[in-house]
Amino acid sequence: MTMELKLYDTLSREKRVFRPLDPANVRMYVCGPTVYDFAHIGNARPVIVFDLLYRLLRHLYGADHVTYVRNITDVDDKINARAAEQGISIRELTESTYANFKADVAALGCLPPTVEPRATDHIEEMKTLIGRLVASGHAYVAEDHVLFSVPSMPDYGRLSKRPLDEMIAGARVDVAPYKRDPMDFVLWKPSKAGEPGWPSPCGIATPGRPGWHIECSAMSWKHLGETFDIHGGGIDLVFPHHENEIAQSRCAFHTPVMANFWMHNGFLQVEGEKMSKSLGNFVTIREVLNDWPGDVVRLAMLATQYRQPINWTVKGLQEAEKALSGFFDVTAGEADAKPAPGVLDALRDDLNTPKALAEMHALKNNAGRKALAGSLGFFGFREAEFKAWQYQHAPALAVEPADIESRIAARNAARAAKNWAESDRIRDELAAMGIKLTDSKDGTTWEVAR
Ligand code: AMP
Ligand code: ZN
């Protein structure tokens, strides 16, 4: 059993041993949702993956020694447009959308992060960073915008390692006339009449609002410091979002790194296709939770290692339900146990969840029961909720429970008389009605077969 935690770091392109800057306060920042509508099932992936990492870090360093920050982007063009459409303030829109998001991720069994900062509560920190960047020659004011000067940072682009022309295409940069270089990106922009705005920094007279990237530099700084341990998000955020966060933070603080580990989850596709409203395969977390319990969604998500792409299918959900059902069948009543060492070892290897789940399947014998129960608890699976869902969704019984009990009694009598043909006949008859019997030294129990 190894004691080390190894994580794949996108910046160095290798799996490295994780050593926190301060083991008494392990610090992780994950880019959170832009809250203008219900989150989709792809958005659930980073939430579940980094929840598992949070649980692992708490296990390894102590629950009070991990700070997990997941921000809320509550100002952005889509939010402004949606709020204007509905005739409400952006705060009203984002409050209700965020309440929905919180309910969704709680149903998925995710722990609340230590801090969930809102961008609009950190405008002052953003302006401080912007002021510093301008003062040190890394940013400039042009036509009421403040822009980050990409050529001012010699090693810009290390995270995404893309050739410059590809980056320009990827960023879909509009080559605005006020930009000194096409790669330069917005730190602050003017707000039009009717749009939300705040007093601008750097002597700009018109009110304005922050660019998206500066929000995360400001919030991670405020809650985790200039340099921290882990920065996470989906793979789509590598460029430009994370590349630009690194540029802002490192240039504002004159630090060699922003975070020591950059972790990115792979993308989720639905039934083999990119999820999109036009293809009609766009699913919200809420819609999935209407049909499935949170734990099944959670297991279906973790059945694939987090860096791999995941194909979200009904079949995958059905398999997850079966697996959970099998786990809980053997662990009933085994609360408060510790996770199995083999399961933890797999997770310590860059969150190898497929291996961890295989280890858990191997524990489904009598001797492994306690360790399996402990592992299920560690993963955040909730037996009572899952069983309640199964009970509600069980197919209608073709036979009354009292009738089942009397048939079981008749079968027991047949068995006592060593009349195996009769006892088998009764068992097969019940099976035909969808009732599965399990014999143990404590007697016979029945359940609806699945
Ligand atoms: P957004 O609200 O679009 O900024 O996304 C919030 C988080 O969900 C980010 O970490 C994204 O990288 C992630 N994300 C968005 N779409 C997907 C997807 N289809 N699969 C996996 N992660 C996604
Ligand atoms: Zn971010």
Side-chain angles (χ1 to χ4, degrees):
M1 181 166 95
T2 137
M3 291 308 289
E4 286 175 338
L5 167 62
K6 285 188 179 153
L7 298 172
Y8 183 86
D9 168 33
T10 309
L11 184 59
S12 58
R13 302 291 196 272
E14 59 186 4
K15 197 152 61 168
R16 290 193 286 120
V17 174
F18 177 73
R19 293 197 211 298
L21 291 162
D22 174 7
N25 184 18
V26 181
R27 289 163 288 161
M28 170 162 83
Y29 185 94
V30 175
C31 294
T34 303
V35 284
Y36 66 97
D37 206 343
F38 283 102
H40 60 66
I41 191 65
N43 299 136
R45 192 171 192 196
V47 178
I48 292 173
V49 162
F50 289 102
D51 176 70
L52 184 64
L53 179 57
Y54 180 42
R55 287 168 186 270
L56 182 61
L57 292 170
R58 283 160 59 102
H59 179 85
L60 297 175
Y61 295 95
D64 297 336
H65 299 290
V66 184
T67 305
Y68 171 23
V69 179
R70 186 182 64 213
N71 74 285
I72 307 157
T73 294
D74 64 348
V75 53
D76 129 304
D77 290 344
K78 282 189 204 132
I79 293 174
N80 298 345
R82 186 64 61 91
E85 225 173 84
Q86 299 185 3
I88 55 177
S89 68
I90 60 166
R91 192 70 183 219
E92 278 176 280
L93 173 71
T94 61
E95 286 281 357
S96 66
T97 312
Y98 191 57
N100 287 332
F101 177 81
K102 268 176 100 142
D104 286 349
V105 301
L108 295 175
C110 297
L111 300 170
T114 323
V115 194
E116 296 172 81
R118 285 172 160 271
T120 56
D121 292 338
H122 295 76
I123 301 286
E124 283 314 310
E125 286 82 357
M126 296 179 210
K127 282 157 69 166
T128 302
L129 288 187
I130 291 171
R132 284 193 193 189
L133 290 169
V134 171
S136 58
H138 288 291
Y140 58 94
V141 178
E143 295 184 19
D144 291 349
H145 293 68
V146 186
L147 293 138
F148 185 92
S149 164
V150 168
S152 79
M153 185 189 192
D155 60 351
Y156 179 88
R158 273 179 52 206
L159 183 71
S160 49
K161 280 203 185 107
R162 297 207 214 175
L164 202 63
D165 53 346
E166 218 179 87
M167 285 203 254
I168 293 174
R172 287 187 292 266
V173 284
D174 50 309
V175 190
Y178 48 80
K179 282 190 187 178
R180 290 184 192 160
D181 186 283
M183 285 302 293
D184 294 351
F185 59 89
V186 167
L187 301 174
W188 190 265
K189 58 187 166 188
S191 294
K192 295 190 197 77
E195 285 178 346
W198 289 263
S200 293
C202 312
I204 298 168
T206 44
R209 58 184 195 273
W212 172 33
H213 317 306
I214 197 72
E215 296 178 4
C216 287
S217 284
M219 288 184 272
S220 60
W221 173 41
K222 170 85 184 282
H223 298 283
L224 299 176
E226 296 179 357
T227 302
F228 49 94
D229 297 298
I230 299 172
H231 193 314
I235 190 81
D236 58 319
L237 299 186
V238 169
F239 185 82
H241 185 53
H242 288 167
E243 196 76 81
N244 291 351
E245 280 188 37
I246 291 174
Q248 295 162 161
S249 294
R250 283 188 48 209
C251 292
F253 306 128
H254 308 289
T255 44
V257 295
M258 178 181 185
N260 280 333
F261 284 79
W262 287 84
M263 294 179 64
H264 296 98
N265 63 270
F267 243 45
L268 174 146
Q269 293 202 316
V270 172
E271 304 283 356
E273 296 205 71
K274 187 177 163 29
M275 187 167 34
S276 84
K277 291 209 162 121
S278 59
L279 285 173
N281 65 350
F282 183 95
V283 235
T284 63
I285 300 173
R286 192 58 63 93
E287 285 164 340
V288 177
L289 287 171
N290 280 335
D291 296 338
W292 298 93
D295 285 4
V296 167
V297 180
R298 196 174 167 85
L299 180 59
M301 203 65 90
L302 294 174
T304 304
Q305 203 267 354
Y306 76 93
R307 287 199 283 132
Q308 304 304 317
I310 182 169
N311 184 22
W312 191 255
T313 60
V314 171
K315 188 161 166 273
L317 286 157
Q318 287 163 343
E319 283 168 5
E321 194 213 332
K322 219 169 136 201
L324 261 185
S325 209
F327 286 153
F328 283 136
D329 269 356
V330 297
T331 57
E334 302 268 6
D336 305 328
K338 287 205 178 78
V343 172
L344 285 176
D345 268 355
L347 295 179
R348 269 200 282 257
D349 182 15
D350 197 30
L351 298 183
N352 190 341
T353 48
K355 174 127 191 282
L357 291 166
E359 293 277 337
M360 284 158 69
H361 278 290
L363 292 171
K364 277 170 38 186
N365 53 48
N366 259 339
R369 268 166 58 166
K370 235 186 157 63
L372 173 57
S375 307
L376 290 166
F378 177 81
F379 262 86
F381 294 125
R382 298 148 299 176
E383 179 176 0
E385 270 186 56
F386 174 73
K387 288 257 161 96
W389 179 88
Q390 273 200 324
Y391 185 75
Q392 276 170 6
H393 290 73
L397 286 180
V399 51
E400 288 296 315
D403 191 4
I404 299 172
E405 293 297 347
S406 70
R407 285 167 197 257
I408 290 174
R411 178 167 168 268
N412 285 343
R415 290 173 72 194
K418 296 199 166 28
N419 185 350
W420 308 121
E422 175 63 1
S423 81
D424 285 352
R425 189 192 64 77
I426 298 174
R427 189 198 57 215
D428 294 346
E429 207 170 64
L430 281 166
M433 295 186 275
I435 304 298
K436 183 182 147 207
L437 300 184
T438 308
D439 297 315
S440 77
K441 61 175 175 16
D442 304 324
T444 303
T445 56
W446 64 270
E447 66 187 311
V448 179
R450 308 195 138 256

